[in-house]
Amino acid sequence: MATLRTIHGVPVWMCAADGAAIRGEADVLDLIGDAGYHGARWVALPAERLDEAFFRLRTRFAGDVVQKFANYRLGLAVVGDISRHTAESSALRDFVRECDRGRQTWFPADLGELEERLKG
């Protein structure tokens, strides 16, 4: 179950860790639709909810997800420890680093880090 939480004035759709896996475009669009319906500007998605394909850049799933969120003008925070994945792929490390520099997609280690980033 997801809930809307306002963090530093920013409405964030907080997804539960035990929700359905995000495996394809339909799952992403459902998530975006739910968040938008509730007035969210960001979605906090636990990393464990993402299918393993997300972390293998050659599948293009990560790029598709990020692009969908950008198209709908929603920020995406993939929350959690993804070090296992970044240790295996320098391309993923670079992708995460570039995303974290921007204002659209972040990879915070925990909710505390997301709260700090949303301070502005």
Side-chain angles (χ1 to χ4, degrees):
M1 184 166 139
T3 58
L4 187 67
R5 179 175 161 204
T6 301
I7 303 172
H8 302 295
V10 179
V12 180
W13 190 240
M14 307 292 289
C15 299
D18 61 354
I22 306 300
R23 293 194 169 115
E25 182 177 354
D27 299 325
V28 174
L29 291 174
D30 286 346
L31 180 57
I32 289 170
D34 289 345
Y37 176 79
H38 288 89
R41 288 190 20 227
W42 276 85
V43 172
L45 180 64
E48 61 265 26
R49 296 260 315 263
L50 287 163
D51 188 84
E52 289 292 312
F54 182 89
F55 301 102
R56 292 188 313 270
L57 294 183
R58 69 181 174 275
T59 68
R60 298 179 185 240
F61 185 46
D64 291 345
V65 170
V66 168
Q67 187 61 51
K68 288 278 185 235
F69 273 85
N71 289 348
Y72 287 91
R73 297 184 184 356
L74 274 175
L76 172 63
V78 176
V79 182
D81 181 9
I82 62 166
S83 60
R84 173 175 65 92
H85 301 290
T86 56
E88 296 171 357
S89 170
S90 61
L92 181 62
R93 273 193 309 276
D94 293 344
F95 176 75
V96 168
R97 185 175 38 252
E98 286 302 313
C99 286
D100 281 341
R101 288 181 182 164
R103 300 280 314 147
Q104 176 63 46
T105 305
W106 297 333
F107 289 84
D110 55 37
L111 289 176
E113 186 179 332
L114 175 59
E115 289 173 5
E116 284 298 312
R117 300 268 332 242
L118 289 172
K119 273 185 180 177

